[in-house]
Amino acid sequence: MPSPRGRMIRRARQAWRTRTADPAREQGSAMVEFLGVALILLIPLVYLVVTLGRVQAGAFAAEGAATSAVRALVTAESAAAGTSRADAAVRLALTDQGFAPGEGTLVLECAQSPCLTPGGSVAAVVRVEVPLPLLPEAVRGWVPLSVPVEAARTGTVDEYAAIRH
């Protein structure tokens, strides 16, 4: 007659065999595992796509704003009018890509003095701070969570601009 310990070991082996051999017990667990892994992988992937989309929109906004600002300044009647037109062009380019006008800065530089001297060059630098999406304002107060995007453009004032006036 087997000992009580031997019977207990035999029962444990038999229970293990029936648990691992029964396909009905495993039914549906692959789907749960797939969903768990998919969520763990998809959430960061979706966040990455959204973040890269916002950074790309910031790059488009900066490029368009710098180009428009130079064009507006070079074709203006005076430096004051050109500066206000360049500011308006930057605001329009930023809002076109979904940014607030205050999220971008414009720096205008003239190679010659006065600024719109015929044949002179004019440069515009636009910098946009692209905030990372879906992060609360409280976190942004502690750590700078934005991506700076900058674009620079240079234009030449028409040599015959003095004749137009």
Side-chain angles (χ1 to χ4, degrees):
M1 180 159 215
S3 69
R5 184 172 184 258
R7 276 185 274 164
M8 195 165 60
I9 291 174
R10 199 170 344 137
R11 283 186 198 150
R13 284 184 186 156
Q14 186 178 11
W16 175 256
R17 281 190 210 119
T18 58
R19 248 186 273 157
T20 57
D22 189 11
R25 293 184 67 86
E26 294 294 321
Q27 188 174 8
S29 67
M31 180 64 80
V32 172
E33 291 170 6
F34 173 76
L35 287 174
V37 170
L39 286 176
I40 289 172
L41 293 177
L42 281 178
I43 289 173
L45 183 64
V46 167
Y47 185 78
L48 178 68
V49 168
V50 169
T51 301
L52 289 178
R54 287 306 296 160
V55 170
Q56 186 66 38
F60 284 150
E63 292 284 335
T67 302
S68 298
V70 166
R71 203 175 288 149
L73 184 59
V74 167
T75 59
E77 303 291 326
S78 67
T83 302
S84 66
R85 286 174 55 187
D87 286 334
V90 168
R91 282 193 310 272
L92 184 64
L94 290 175
T95 55
D96 186 39
Q97 292 297 329
F99 292 97
E103 289 181 294
T105 58
L106 169 67
V107 177
L108 295 171
E109 297 175 0
C110 298
Q112 296 176 346
S113 182
C115 188
L116 294 179
T117 302
S121 64
V122 176
V125 178
V126 176
R127 183 181 173 96
V128 179
E129 291 288 331
V130 181
L132 296 178
L134 305 175
L135 293 175
E137 288 298 322
V139 174
R140 288 195 178 121
W142 296 328
V143 181
L145 298 173
S146 62
V147 178
V149 179
E150 188 174 280
R153 289 289 175 261
T154 305
T156 305
V157 180
D158 187 16
E159 289 186 31
Y160 303 105
I163 296 173
R164 287 187 294 167
H165 302 290

